[in-house]
């Protein structure tokens, strides 16, 4: 056969089309592409900036973004760009950690439209799916068949199948299942010239036959055949013998297949003489072809799981124990060192989990087994403990016939904790997964950045590798944590580095260089999980040597003669190297605008630190059907990057750092299109691993916008809704009749901008405070009370839903609480805060604290019915004001059901047996402050069967849903909630928030506004 070696193109070979020039005809590109595709074409500044980053430390502005709807769209884009030699980059969720999904190219985002599961064949355990489907959504569709796509990256519910193929992804259970390449059977691809073809299994004879044809596909087969014949021995010699190697191209798989080499657990036997070219695309990072459809094999969902946590004195002891534990056929083997354990102890979320650890724990190994039965799982744990921790008596009897009990290795674990039920296993996994959010929560200039974070080392070499790596860190006067997938030898190591300085970048490269030498010394791989990208491509040369480096270049040239597909990743042209120090998101040239914030920012670097906190993991891009949680409702409804927390955070950082011109952050377009579509749900404060507080950022930026540009009448109206509601109450019932007059709502929308079809609140002439005074005040004497409570007459409870306030008083009194409703208060400042009038909100907060502070000091509690107002006291006042009195009021303020639950006041109440079951939709702000469970607990103790929804925002979100331009977004968000309600088990829905109940009243088939939990409790009073 021919042994032609394919030359690399040079810059001189390129056609005269400078896509890098500022003079490029971008409108012409858009017009041309729009005529070729059915999908969306975005070349505007915002879209390009949004796709300039991923989950890495890199930033490269693309030429534009296209959202294809079909393979034909991809062909149209590729043919057009090939003719003009414009680079193209396929992208899924944009969660890559090495920078492989950012480039100066036309980006193809498959996650919006090409995200379907085409078919599932349970009998053959096969699925066909498009590249944009999230792995979580794929597995949700497979679950009814008892099957799953086995690779399980940590962000699988936000990671796309195409990205998993491009990255050759795996996860915690790779000991059991291997990498994505074990499951890719066939792919439909678009080649660099626009040709559509399918790659799959071929015999060597067929490979040679196809190589003799005259087209790009034949050129590819010819190069694959040449590599197998001429370089198979070199590949077999130089590729590390690891389960987890994703550095370079996947050539070792082809060689092993051709030679019939067994590849291990979860991977089919090869008879030899056969290769599957589809496997070559696994780990290619979009540099060889564009996958438009994939056929993947599936695995059965395990019947049972068992787990044990092993405690060690040091991380080196734990590393020394990895290899013998692997011999016990664990499905997962994870490590966590003392750095992360100590950090976890200092966090509110993870500190309770660390309490399960034995005293003196300096590192842990988490071992999980799959089994056919609970008894079998317990025996596996017992066998492991008998071998590795004989001082702990297992819950089951070990198998004396297990030959692994005779391993002649030193025992290191000094204690162990077994976990066989879901709750116990979840607690241990939560501890293991605490590493990422803890490390990513730093707001200093020094950050735990990803650049050498997934080295792969043979398990038997881990202890020596870690000891030597610690010396490298000490030599560079920094430190890192060691955690992740110890079983297959993959360690997540993120040194603390400041990329904003030249010295910091030099330090980063020096550490990476030394780490690569160490990897080679210990027979490992530079990347065992996250790929090459911009961070590690340059190290492939040292890892594999010059000869294989040249092979990579020639393979790239065979697939992509003009190097148009995601150039610079995996391999580069020698005259145009990929430099890991270049294209930093926050490099030495990075600058941040002077900005004087109004709110308190306790983080390091204050407001700037929060703006820069988003690292791009894409947690906010989760699919509601597979992730639940609160964040991010606008993205779930629109699938637009700009509506995700990541998109907003990136756009704000780029605006504040000068990537966007002038004071872009305070322009009409930015505030309306970027910040304005944030509903302020606060979901990112709990669901984002880094806890990016976009609601707070929005308030700060909107305030600055008002200061520079003034404010609209509608904004001021909503900010002062307390005064408007007081007037509406005085004029009731006439104020309720006006909006029903013909043409009034149309006029309101045209003049004020309040949507004509949005339901308006109803006003009551007799307010909650009026009712309380009219009944003669408290019914429980202060001298006989269990507690004393101020029931704060928040705006909505007082003027729009006094029945909820009445219910609160009656239930509290049934619990023996002495109640007072204060005069002269009612506005918490929430509306002004949400609309960005921070000075007004601060003034209101100060009035309330001055009034309530002395009462709190005298032992009174503050109880609030409306959830967003309760959280305003508990959380937002601490951002507006400082001082012991503010903290005292915040600490003694409770939502009404929270108050009942925290002090178990409901246990003093006699409830009649309820006759109906409930569906409970919690308020976003309560979820964001981890207080949403209280209502569910109280309702259940009252006798109700409660189905709490794992729901996000309702879409009304205070004033957001009333604003005409947001009506469609509000409805789209609500539709997600309506589907959850329809699928729930409750006979009646309850919700604590005014906005939520208004939205739920309008759901299909609804006949009434849902009651609040406190009204539901009142109804059950005996």
């Amino acid at each position: 056969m021919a042994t032609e070696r394919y030359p690399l193109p040079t810059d001189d070979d390129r056609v005269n089309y400078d896509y890098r020039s500022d003079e490029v005809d971008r409108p012409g590109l858009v017009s041309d592409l729009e005529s070729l595709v059915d999908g969306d074409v975005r070349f505007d500044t915002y879209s390009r900036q949004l796709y300039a980053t991923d989950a890495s430390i890199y930033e490269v502005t693309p030429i534009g973004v296209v959202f294809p709807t079909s393979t034909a769209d991809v062909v149209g884009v590729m043919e057009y760009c090939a003719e003009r030699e414009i680079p193209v980059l396929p992208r899924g969720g944009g969660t890559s950690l090495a920078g492989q999904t950012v480039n100066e190219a036309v980006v193809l985002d498959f996650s919006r439209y090409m995200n379907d599961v085409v078919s599932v064949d349970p009998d053959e355990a096969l699925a066909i799916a498009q590249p944009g489907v999230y792995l979580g959504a794929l597995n949700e569709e497979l679950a009814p068949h008892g099957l799953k796509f086995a690779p399980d990256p940590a962000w699988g519910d936000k990671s796309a199948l195409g990205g998993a193929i491009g990255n050759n992804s795996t996860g915690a259970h790779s000991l059991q299942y291997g990498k994505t390449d074990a499951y890719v059977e066939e792919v439909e691809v678009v080649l660099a010239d626009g040709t559509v073809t399918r790659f799959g299994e071929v015999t060597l004879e067929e490979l040679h036959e196809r190589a003799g044809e005259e087209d790009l596909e034949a050129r590819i087969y010819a190069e694959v055949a040449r590599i197998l014949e001429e370089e198979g021995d070199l590949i077999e010699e130089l590729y590390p013998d690891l389960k987890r190697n994703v550095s370079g191209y996947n050539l070792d798989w082809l060689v092993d297949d051709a030679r019939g080499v067994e590849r291990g657990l979860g991977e089919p036997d090869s008879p030899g003489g056969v290769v599957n070219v589809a496997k070559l695309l696994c780990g290619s990072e979009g540099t060889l072809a564009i996958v438009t459809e994939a056929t993947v094999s599936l695995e059965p969902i395990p019947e049972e799981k068992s787990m044990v946590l092993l405690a060690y004195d040091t991380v080196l002891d734990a590393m020394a124990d990895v290899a013998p534990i692997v011999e016990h056929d664990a499905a997962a083997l994870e490590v966590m060192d003392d750095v992360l354990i100590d950090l976890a102890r200092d966090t509110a979320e993870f500190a309770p989990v660390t309490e399960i650890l034995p005293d003196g724990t300096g590192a842990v190994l988490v071992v999980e087994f799959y089994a056919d039965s609970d008894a079998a799982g317990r025996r596996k744990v017992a066998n492991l403990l008998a071998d590795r921790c004989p001082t702990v008596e297992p819950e089951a009897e070990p198998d004396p016939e297990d030959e692994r009990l005779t391993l002649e290795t030193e025992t290191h674990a000094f204690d162990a904790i077994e976990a066989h039920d879901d709750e116990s296993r979840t607690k241990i996994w939560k501890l293991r997964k605490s590493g990422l959010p803890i490390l990513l929560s730093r707001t200093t200039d020094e950050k735990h950045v990803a650049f050498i974070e997934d080295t792969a080392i043979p398990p038997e070499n881990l202890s020596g590798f870690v000891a030597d790596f610690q010396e490298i860190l000490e030599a560079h006067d920094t430190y890192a944590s060691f955690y992740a997938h110890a079983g297959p030898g993959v360690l997540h190591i993120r040194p603390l580095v400041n990329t904003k300085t030249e010295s910091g970048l030099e330090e980063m490269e020096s550490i990476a260089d030394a780490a690569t030498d160490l990897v080679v010394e210990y027979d490992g791989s530079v990347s065992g999980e996250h790929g090459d990208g911009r961070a590690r491509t340059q190290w492939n040369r040292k890892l594999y040597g010059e000869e294989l480096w040249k092979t990579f270049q020639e393979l790239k040239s065979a697939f992509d003669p003009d190097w148009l597909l995601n150039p610079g990743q995996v391999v580069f042209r020698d005259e145009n190297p990929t430099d890991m120090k270049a294209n930093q998101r926050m490099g030495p040239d990075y600058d941040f605008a002077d900005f004087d914030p109004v709110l308190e920012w306790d983080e390091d670097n204050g407001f700037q630190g929060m703006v820069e906190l988003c690292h791009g993991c894409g947690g906010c891009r989760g699919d509601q059907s597979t992730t639940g949680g609160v964040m991010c409702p606008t993205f779930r409804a629109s699938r637009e990057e700009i509506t995700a927390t990541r998109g907003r955070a990136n756009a704000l950082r780029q605006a504040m750092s000068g990537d966007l011109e002038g004071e872009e952050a305070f322009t009409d377009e930015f505030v309306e299109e970027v910040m304005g579509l944030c509903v302020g749900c606060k979901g990112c404060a709990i669901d984002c691993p880094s806890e990016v507080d976009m609601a707070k950022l929005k308030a700060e930026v909107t305030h600055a916008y008002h200061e520079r540009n003034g404010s609209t009448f509608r904004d001021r109206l909503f900010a002062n809704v307390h005064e408007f509601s007081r007037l509406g109450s005085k004029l009731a019932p006439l104020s309720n009749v006006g909006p029903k007059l013909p043409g009034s709502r149309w006029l309101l929308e045209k003049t004020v901008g309040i949507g004509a079809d949005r339901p308006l609140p109803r006003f009551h002439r007799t307010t909650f405070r009026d009712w309380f005074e009219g009944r003669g005040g408290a019914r429980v004497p202060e001298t006989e009370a269990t507690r004393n409570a101020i029931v704060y007459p928040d705006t909505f409870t007082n003027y729009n839903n006094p029945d909820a306030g009445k219910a609160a008083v009656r239930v509290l009194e049934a619990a023996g609480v002495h109640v007072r409703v204060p005069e002269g208060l009612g506005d918490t400042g929430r509306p002004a805060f949400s609309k960005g009038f921070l000075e007004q909100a601060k003034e209101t907060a100060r009035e309330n604290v001055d009034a309530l502070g002395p009462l709190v000091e005298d032992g009174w509690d503050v109880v609030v019915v409306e959830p967003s107002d309760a959280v305003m006291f508990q959380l937002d006042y601490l951002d507006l004001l400082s001082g012991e009195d503010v903290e005292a009021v915040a600490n003694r303020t409770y939502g009404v059901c929270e108050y009942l639950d925290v002090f178990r006041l409901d246990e003093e109440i006699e409830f009649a047996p309820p006759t109906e079951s409930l569906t409970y939709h919690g308020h976003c702000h309560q979820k964001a402050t981890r207080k949403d469970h209280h209502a569910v607990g109280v309702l259940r103790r009252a006798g109700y069967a409660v189905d709490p929804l794992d729901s996000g925002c309702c879409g009304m979100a205070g004033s957001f849903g009333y604003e005409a331009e947001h009506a469609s977004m509000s409805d789209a968000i609500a539709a997600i909630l309506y589907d959850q309600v329809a699928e729930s088990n409750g006979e009646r829905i309850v919700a604590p928030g005014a906005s939520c109940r208004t939205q739920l009243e309008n759901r299909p088939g609804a006949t009434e506004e849902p009651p609040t939990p406190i009204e539901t409790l009142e109804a059950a009073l005996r």
Side-chain angles (χ1 to χ4, degrees):
M1 62 158 290
T3 57
E4 178 183 359
R5 310 292 286 263
Y6 295 107
L8 276 65
T10 66
D11 287 334
D12 293 337
D13 296 328
R14 293 195 176 279
V15 296
N16 187 21
Y17 188 88
D18 188 2
Y19 57 82
R20 296 181 177 90
S21 170
D22 291 337
E23 304 301 320
V24 66
D25 182 14
R26 215 169 291 276
L29 281 175
V30 173
S31 177
D32 289 348
L33 289 172
E34 285 180 335
S35 69
L36 294 171
V37 304
D38 293 329
D40 305 329
V41 179
R42 305 279 179 81
F43 279 57
D44 60 282
T45 299
Y46 282 4
S47 294
R48 294 172 63 224
Q49 289 299 138
L50 289 169
Y51 282 81
T53 57
D54 52 12
S56 72
I57 57 177
Y58 297 100
E59 180 171 337
V60 184
T61 305
I63 300 166
V65 187
V66 177
F67 304 88
T69 62
S70 64
T71 299
D73 279 0
V74 178
V75 171
V77 172
M78 194 68 249
E79 287 181 341
Y80 179 86
C81 290
E83 183 179 348
R84 292 156 182 80
E85 296 194 357
I86 301 173
V88 175
L89 164 62
R91 172 167 160 152
T95 58
S96 298
L97 287 162
Q100 55 265 59
T101 57
V102 295
N103 214 329
E104 193 172 18
V106 172
V107 173
L108 298 175
D109 183 347
F110 289 99
S111 66
R112 180 177 301 169
Y113 298 126
M114 294 184 68
N115 56 14
D116 288 336
V117 178
V118 178
S119 65
V120 178
D121 185 343
D123 295 331
E124 296 295 326
L126 292 173
I128 301 175
Q130 293 180 309
V133 64
Y134 286 169
L135 300 187
L138 173 60
N139 280 328
E140 185 180 44
E141 191 151 339
L142 297 174
H145 304 290
L147 297 169
K148 67 176 181 177
F149 179 69
D152 56 345
W155 287 102
D157 53 354
K158 291 94 178 172
S159 302
L161 177 61
I165 294 171
N167 221 52
N168 205 1
S169 296
T170 181
H173 295 90
S174 63
L175 278 173
Q176 179 82 16
Y177 296 121
K179 306 187 297 294
T180 295
D181 51 16
Y183 303 94
V184 174
E185 304 301 328
E186 185 176 272
V187 291
E188 177 191 79
V189 299
V190 176
L191 300 179
D193 63 352
T195 298
V196 180
T197 189
R198 302 189 80 86
F199 287 135
E201 195 171 84
V202 295
T203 66
L204 293 182
E205 183 179 355
E206 291 171 328
L207 187 68
H208 285 275
E209 289 174 356
R210 296 190 186 188
E213 300 171 10
E214 296 294 331
D215 55 22
L216 181 56
E217 187 174 358
R219 173 176 170 147
I220 291 167
Y221 283 120
E223 178 63 9
V224 171
R226 185 197 69 77
I227 290 173
L228 290 173
E229 285 189 1
E230 299 180 9
E231 301 180 50
D233 290 342
L234 186 65
I235 291 167
E236 195 172 67
E237 175 189 348
L238 295 181
Y239 268 69
D241 184 16
L242 295 167
K243 290 182 178 293
R244 297 282 290 267
N245 173 31
V246 296
S247 290
Y249 288 120
N250 208 15
L251 299 179
D252 56 337
W253 187 291
L254 296 185
V255 172
D256 286 351
D257 262 6
R259 298 181 176 186
V261 176
E262 168 64 41
R263 295 190 60 87
L265 289 174
E267 300 162 3
D269 294 337
S270 170
V274 175
V275 295
N276 190 329
V277 182
K279 312 287 189 183
L280 193 53
L281 298 186
C282 297
S284 67
E285 301 182 3
T287 63
L288 300 181
I290 302 171
V291 175
T292 51
E293 187 177 274
T295 301
V296 295
S297 55
L298 310 172
E299 290 288 330
I301 297 172
E303 295 289 334
E304 294 289 345
K305 301 175 184 178
S306 60
M307 181 180 288
V308 61
L309 180 149
L310 299 172
Y312 297 83
D313 293 320
T314 69
V315 69
L316 293 180
D317 287 343
M319 292 295 98
D321 226 16
V322 169
I325 292 175
V326 169
E327 296 297 321
H328 283 265
D329 296 333
L333 174 50
E334 304 286 293
V335 65
M336 187 172 180
D337 72 355
D338 58 326
V339 175
L340 281 179
I341 292 172
D342 290 343
L343 288 172
R345 287 193 178 104
D346 293 334
T347 65
E349 180 177 1
F350 299 110
V353 187
T354 64
E355 293 174 1
I356 68 173
L357 298 178
D359 292 340
T361 300
V364 300
L365 290 179
V366 175
V367 189
E368 186 172 65
F369 296 98
Y370 290 163
D372 295 331
S373 66
D374 179 65
R378 290 173 183 271
R379 279 196 303 273
K380 288 185 176 184
V381 169
N383 291 345
L384 177 65
L385 291 178
D387 180 37
R388 309 314 308 157
C389 191
T391 58
V392 173
E393 183 176 349
E395 296 179 13
E397 288 295 324
D399 181 359
E401 301 299 322
D402 189 338
E403 62 184 22
R404 287 165 295 207
L405 302 186
T406 63
L407 290 174
E408 296 179 0
T409 52
E410 183 181 352
T411 298
H412 290 286
F414 70 83
D415 206 345
I417 301 170
E418 293 189 49
H420 299 285
D421 59 274
D422 289 342
E423 183 178 352
S424 299
R425 289 197 306 271
T426 299
K427 183 178 292 187
I428 291 177
W429 272 120
K430 183 178 182 180
L431 176 64
R432 157 59 185 88
K433 292 181 178 181
S434 69
L436 185 66
I438 290 172
L439 289 178
L440 297 180
S441 63
R442 295 184 69 99
T443 59
T444 59
D445 289 340
E446 289 183 317
K447 297 183 183 296
H448 290 282
V449 296
F451 65 99
I452 50 146
E453 80 290 348
D454 69 329
T455 56
I457 305 296
E460 62 271 17
N461 295 341
L462 275 176
S463 185
F465 175 81
V466 170
D468 289 348
F469 205 109
Q470 287 175 332
E471 291 183 6
I472 293 174
L473 295 172
E474 291 172 5
H476 288 84
D477 194 27
T478 188
Y479 70 94
S481 176
F482 295 82
Y483 70 105
H485 318 301
V490 175
L491 296 179
H492 291 336
I493 311 167
R494 293 193 178 208
L496 195 63
V497 174
N498 183 1
T499 62
K500 293 181 180 178
T501 65
E502 292 288 356
S503 60
L505 290 181
E506 294 296 332
E507 177 185 43
M508 181 177 73
E509 185 174 46
S510 177
I511 293 173
D513 191 13
T516 304
D517 289 337
L518 200 60
V519 162
V520 173
E521 178 185 344
Y522 280 100
D523 301 322
S525 172
V526 174
S527 178
E529 184 171 26
H530 298 153
D532 296 323
R534 298 179 175 275
R536 285 181 285 275
T537 289
Q538 72 188 74
W539 307 116
N540 281 337
R541 198 168 202 156
K542 177 181 287 191
L543 179 65
Y544 291 112
E546 290 295 331
E547 195 168 349
L548 280 184
W549 176 259
K550 185 178 180 182
T551 299
F552 291 168
Q553 291 176 324
E554 292 168 344
L555 180 70
K556 167 71 172 172
S557 289
F559 270 89
D560 182 13
D562 294 315
W563 285 54
L564 300 179
L565 292 172
N566 201 14
Q569 322 304 311
V570 184
V571 67
F572 53 72
R573 293 178 296 148
D574 294 344
E575 67 271 22
N576 188 24
T578 301
D579 181 1
M580 71 175 298
K581 302 191 302 300
N583 302 112
Q584 292 290 316
R585 185 190 302 191
M586 290 179 280
D589 296 332
Y590 179 83
D591 192 21
F592 196 88
D594 290 333
F595 183 78
D596 186 19
V598 174
L599 299 174
E600 300 282 337
W601 295 90
D602 295 332
E603 300 81 14
D604 291 317
N605 280 349
F607 171 78
Q608 178 180 346
M610 180 59 72
V611 172
E612 295 172 353
L613 186 56
C614 173
H615 68 285
C617 72
C620 46
R621 289 171 52 95
D623 189 335
Q624 177 81 21
S625 64
T626 59
T627 63
V630 185
M631 181 182 72
C632 182
T634 48
F635 176 80
R636 287 171 175 166
S638 70
R639 316 300 292 186
E640 291 271 5
E641 177 75 14
I642 201 169
T643 62
T645 302
R646 180 176 75 174
R648 293 191 188 97
N650 271 324
L652 180 58
R653 177 186 52 78
Q654 290 161 339
M656 299 298 294
S657 64
D659 284 349
L660 298 173
E661 295 182 1
E663 288 197 330
E664 181 70 21
F666 312 114
T667 63
D668 291 348
E669 183 179 14
F670 191 90
V671 170
E672 292 170 6
E673 298 298 325
V674 181
M675 306 307 290
L677 287 177
C678 168
V679 298
C681 68
K682 295 183 181 287
C684 43
I686 184 173
D687 288 345
C688 170
S690 300
E691 298 183 352
V692 174
D693 193 339
M694 186 50 60
K696 185 177 177 182
L697 288 170
K698 175 188 177 181
E700 191 77 79
V701 171
T702 308
H703 172 82
Y705 171 82
H706 290 325
E707 293 290 299
R708 288 165 169 77
N709 304 292
S711 56
T712 66
F713 170 76
R714 187 184 67 185
D715 285 343
R716 294 193 298 274
L717 174 65
F718 282 130
N720 292 281
V721 70
H722 181 79
E723 297 302 322
F724 177 77
S725 297
R726 178 158 55 186
L727 178 61
S729 175
K730 289 182 177 179
L731 296 178
L734 292 178
S735 52
N736 297 324
V737 174
K740 298 178 181 179
L741 297 176
S744 61
R745 296 303 307 275
W746 175 87
L747 182 63
L748 189 63
E749 179 172 325
K750 295 301 180 184
T751 56
V752 182
I754 296 176
D757 62 344
R758 313 314 284 171
L760 294 178
R762 294 175 285 273
F763 299 102
H764 291 256
R765 191 172 186 86
T766 301
T767 67
F768 164 54
R769 186 189 285 110
D770 292 339
W771 168 84
F772 187 78
E773 292 177 353
R775 79 196 287 260
R779 296 289 173 85
V780 175
E782 188 171 357
T783 55
E784 301 174 10
T786 55
R787 300 189 71 86
N788 297 324
I790 301 293
V791 176
Y792 188 89
D794 64 81
T795 300
F796 198 88
T797 301
N798 196 42
Y799 298 119
N800 306 110
N801 190 24
D803 286 346
K806 298 173 188 177
V809 170
R810 290 170 178 150
V811 172
L812 289 175
E813 289 182 339
V817 177
H818 174 68
V819 173
R820 181 187 300 179
V821 179
E823 289 282 348
L825 301 178
D827 182 10
T828 64
R830 164 63 66 201
F833 187 92
S834 297
K835 299 305 294 182
F837 294 91
L838 297 184
E839 294 296 350
Q840 178 180 334
K842 182 181 291 189
E843 182 178 341
T844 301
R846 173 46 61 193
E847 291 173 357
N848 280 322
V849 169
D850 288 346
L852 297 174
L855 294 171
V856 166
E857 188 174 350
D858 287 342
W860 287 78
D861 305 312
V862 180
V863 178
V864 187
V865 175
E866 182 60 33
S868 62
D869 288 309
V871 174
M872 187 71 189
F873 280 105
Q874 295 167 329
L875 181 67
D876 299 297
Y877 275 16
L878 299 175
D879 293 330
L880 289 165
L881 306 170
S882 60
E884 293 182 1
D885 56 346
V886 182
E887 294 177 6
V889 170
N891 291 335
R892 292 288 290 274
T893 297
Y894 306 88
V896 61
C897 287
E898 176 191 4
Y899 189 60
L900 292 167
D901 191 37
V902 166
F903 298 107
R904 285 296 195 269
L905 298 173
D906 57 298
E907 294 177 355
E908 303 299 320
I909 303 174
E910 186 177 0
F911 292 101
T915 58
E916 60 185 352
S917 59
L918 305 175
T919 292
Y920 176 74
H921 166 66
H923 194 280
C924 300
H925 289 179
Q926 288 184 324
K927 292 179 179 180
T929 51
R930 298 182 175 87
K931 298 178 183 295
D932 185 50
H933 63 283
H934 294 296
V936 176
V938 175
L939 287 168
R940 284 175 174 168
R941 287 199 297 274
Y944 287 102
V946 185
D947 180 11
L949 299 178
D950 188 8
S951 52
C953 181
C954 69
M956 186 60 74
S959 65
F960 181 88
Y962 288 103
E963 295 163 350
E965 68 273 21
H966 295 153
S968 60
M969 176 67 79
S970 176
D971 289 342
I973 296 172
I976 299 172
L977 174 60
Y978 296 163
D979 287 344
Q980 290 181 295
V981 172
E983 295 171 2
S984 65
N985 298 319
E987 298 169 291
R988 191 180 191 191
I989 186 166
V990 298
S995 295
C996 308
R997 298 196 309 279
T998 300
Q999 193 80 300
L1000 287 165
E1001 183 182 8
N1002 290 319
R1003 74 189 189 282
T1007 57
E1008 62 176 358
E1009 180 180 280
T1012 63
I1014 194 65
E1015 290 173 283
T1016 308
L1017 288 169
E1018 182 201 21
L1021 289 176
R1022 187 179 292 276

